Amino acid sequence: MTVKDAGRAARPAGRAPAKRSPAGDPGQQADSPELIQLLTPEGERVEHPDYPLEISAEELKSLYRDLVIVRRIDFEAIALQRQGELGIWASLLGQEAAQVGSGRALTPRDMAFPTYREHGVAWCRGLDPMKLLELFRGVSHGGWDPTEHNFHLYTIVIGSQTLHATGYAMGIQRDGAVGEDGEAVIVYFGDGATSQGDVNEAFIWASVNNSPVVFFCQNNQWAISEPLERQSRVPLYQRAHGFGFPGVRVDGNDVLACLAVTRKAMQAAREGQGPTMIEAFTYRMGAHTTTDDPTRYRLSAELEAWKLKDPIERVKQYLIRSQQAEMSFFDEVEAEATRVGARVRAACLEMPDPEPLSMFDDVLTEETRQLAAERAGFAAYLDSFVGEEVAR
Amino acid sequence: MTTLTLSRALNEGLRKALEDNPKALIMGEDVGKLGGVFRVTDGLQKDFGEARVIDTPLAESGIIGTAIGLALRGYRPICEIQFDGFVFPAFDQIVSQLAKMRYRSLGSVRLPVVVRIPFGGGIGAVEHHSESPESLFAHTPGLRVVACGDAADAYTMIQQAVRSDDPVIFFEPKRRYWDKAEVDVDGGLAAALPMDQSRVLVPGTDVTVLCYGPMVRTCAEAAVAAQDDGRSLEVIDLRSLAPLDTATIFASVRKTGRCIVVHEAVVTGGIGAEIAAQITQECFYSLESPVLRVGAYTTPYPPSRLEEHYLPDLDRILDAVDRTFGY
Amino acid sequence: MSDLKEFRLPDVGEGLTEADIVRWLVHPGDQIAINQIIVEIETAKAVVELPSPYAGTVADLLVPEGATADVGTPIISVNVGAGGEDTPRAAAPAAAEAAVPQEARAQREISDAEDLVPAPPAEGAPVLGATVLGATEPGMVGSPAPKAERQAVLVGYGVRLGTTSRRARKPSAAAAPPSAPAVPAAPAASAAPAAPVNGASGARALAKPPVRKMARDLGVDLSALAGSGPGGSITRDDVEQAAGSGGAPAVPGISGVAIVTPAAGAREERIPIRGVRKHTAAAMSASAFTAPHVTEFLQIDITETMTAAARLRQLPEFADVRVSPLLLVARALLTAIARHPMVNSSWDEAAQEIVVKRYVNLGIAAATERGLIVPNIKDAHAMTLPQLATALAQLAETARAGRSTPADLSGGSITITNVGIFGVDTGTPILTPGEAAILAFGQVKDAPWVIDGELAVRKVCTLALSFDHRLVDGDLGSAVLRDVGAMLTDPLRMLAWS
């Protein structure tokens, strides 16, 4: 399924959604002067006085490669779900630039707190995509060590991770790790999450403590079926001002703008200037998850309009027009993406189920006697069935 | 040995914890400058500084959520929830995040967070200041839940809680904050009873009385009164509600054949219910009578003019003792 | 070579239990690639495109357009064998390298780009710390793909459908409760074996609460009993047996009724009906009023048997066992049963069947201090005479000591009652419930007898056989009685008939 097919994935069932979201209309706020952009949808390079960006051809091609591979993994995962290999998948289709741009702005020592859709950030951090598939296949709840790639586990409760990130940033302060070479935290959340109490509490804590945390909001215009106007009367980036720290809106489909804005905000945090909110103005091209049916609540015309702002297409156009890449480069990237997709597929199909007794592992740092007894009892129970071998 | 109130014992224990653990932090509403509404953290901010004793915004979920973040960064946060009834905004962070994150990470993450909660009633307060929500947490796998019953235990258990690598919900009987006891402030933790074990407070032969927190003193007093009835109560301070020290409980019940569980919490679905089920299963052949529970009625906490009827007291406990001999 | 795979209709997560096939985008014979869109299905709400999990040649479209298929139904079969390697003209770009899943596993070559992707585990290396599953086909065994056994819901794999049959369990599966009552000093089986921290573990008697109550009601001191239940716990039977032995004088034949001296002036004594008395009354009533009893009598000259018994006692085989006339009566009855098996049977009213037993569990009525009980010797038919003698002696001793177990007391197939020890000639015995016949053996005494036309003094006794006329008619009953009499008159007959 390519981007062009995304809109054909589901035909409207003949029922118009209740209302059309003005916030989702790319024609409106996207033109407002506050939307930071460095690469137009047509692939033209533009400058912004606050965000000078020097970027080499190699870096550009590398970003392009990231975008394509991230989209390919996402596509493969949707297909796997449609084939019954994953229970569910939350697609990032359309949000690749926001995630890759911000993800590549981080230094290795920065810490990232995702929600459950940041597969592109996971890619940038070097986390094995199979760990994500494990979660959606039901093999684990994530199960990776956050310190290995400085990428926290996926948090499914909406907005909770903003507090974790803020607390982590408070820890950085107490470690004295704030400074030019310091560390900072980025936390991801969506437009819907900005309504959650925890997110607002995080804004309070980060601001009164002046903590080194960047709040990266991917405003993809929809929280399942609810459009932005159900979440806020004001543009989201302006919320930060109410809490006393800067907020900025960036074109979430512009990988260069996301890169530049995030770099600057992270550096400010590192140096002790406190939090920033970045609102990446983007669009959720797919469904909320594979169990969602967007045709029930939004018009395909909206989708069609956003297709014209595809994050990957504009980078390709720019690379071609500026002659920073040969056509063979695009073929190579495509081939590599196909290989990656096939590997993801193969690894998913081979993924074994966890052993039943592993259910009892890692509840506490020291197993209680009660749990040990339950574990033993369950092992004996499993063993009592004809033909069943007790797992080790 | 020093005579200390329970509140002061906690204060001393927290002080020791901050001294022994450079990564230990205290955080909560009014814990810094004021020293806590019960003075449990009195003087600590002055001595350890604002970076380690933090006056937080008025946001319970924020307290626990940021504590989780600090723990991920390597700190040992000791959170205070000002009153039992105000833990609920933080309930999601506690059960969805604090309890589960180790399991979610297959053991990579550990969250050595202590959540101190003054609990229980009998202090003549308005709504939400007299709750006993401990069974909600004991029912949540991934948490340790303890309750101190006297100053001596408060002193050691708070230190043990801070040292634990697991999240600990630490219940403090607020109506006993001013009770005094002898505390061995110089005795090290090595000799102290582990946090996950119960203590036989009063040895006895006729009936096992299980209790924790504010009811420990009440049950000890009941044991004295029971002597006049010619009955020997064995009073056990459970101390640990999750996990339960079933070895101690079962040994006692097998000896006496009778058991009563006493708590301020509502009887329905309380800790006593779990204990009764386990005793019935494991000590069935030793029982002379069913396990009885003495606790609050299944109503919201009443206005304080009625609370003495609502909460268990010495007479209700001995009434249960009478009933257990009626089988 | 054909290698046919089927793709089963998955739950695409929209609450599907079924879907309509709207339009096939491929035809049999087409080459297809992995993830190529092959079909449009319509759910209750929208049309969804399904990507193929296989590369290969389409063999069959198993569900036609317009038809409805349940989730889990195969909808297409694809030949992934030899035809699968050709580059398909697929809508998906660069599908050439999208090989079949099995082959994809083999294709993990290192390429330049690979170090930028986290390296997948090496061939054969454990994946996720466990062994790799063999099955790689979606929708097949081993994959989490929802099969028909799950009910689709909107989120996740769906709810497993119910079943109405249990999984088979091994024979040793615990019927016993997981923790048998612990011997007092040890903690329960399910707790870790830590020594109790506080409180001594006293050696209290173990008994279920209802048994404790029964003991209290019967005036039995539990601490004085040894329990025959699990873990040494005291059972109801233990209590009942102990209940009778509360100080009554050991007069044989007088059942376990405590003799109560009436208070001065009282005209009546009231004795509670409980324990063995209660049980006996119930059994007798049930038997007497269910089975039509007929009793036949035979007086016999038992002199030869008495002589035989005395001679047997001299034999070394019988050096350590008691040889009583009862032993030979038992042996005679067992022989008679072999000749007339129907007498060793029971009437199964519920099943409307007569159960003829091919074994003899020989019950011997015993009068004990607690009352009348009928323990039986299992498989007496298979015993040698010395074995039978030993069994009889043990039975008597156990009964006298009040230690007959419930197993001893059940499962009998025929009974002998020795009324002779009470000093009477005969009686009309009542059948043990569930049996068809009972033989009463009266006292042996000197009496005048006619032998070869002349008067003589012989040892004489009377045999009485009561039988259940539902399944034993007069001719059979008489035959059995006659045979027993004949064998006891002339013990050599026992030899001839065995």
Side-chain angles (χ1 to χ4, degrees), chain C residues 475-497:
Chain C
D475 55 349
L476 172 60
S478 306
V480 171
L481 187 57
R482 204 174 47 235
D483 282 0
V484 172
M487 284 185 265
L488 290 173
T489 304
D490 181 0
L492 268 179
R493 285 250 163 73
M494 267 187 257
L495 194 58
W497 287 343

Side-chain angles (χ1 to χ4, degrees), chain C residues 226-230 232-235 237-238 406:
Chain C
S228 63
S233 61
I234 297 158
T235 66
D237 288 320
D238 295 336

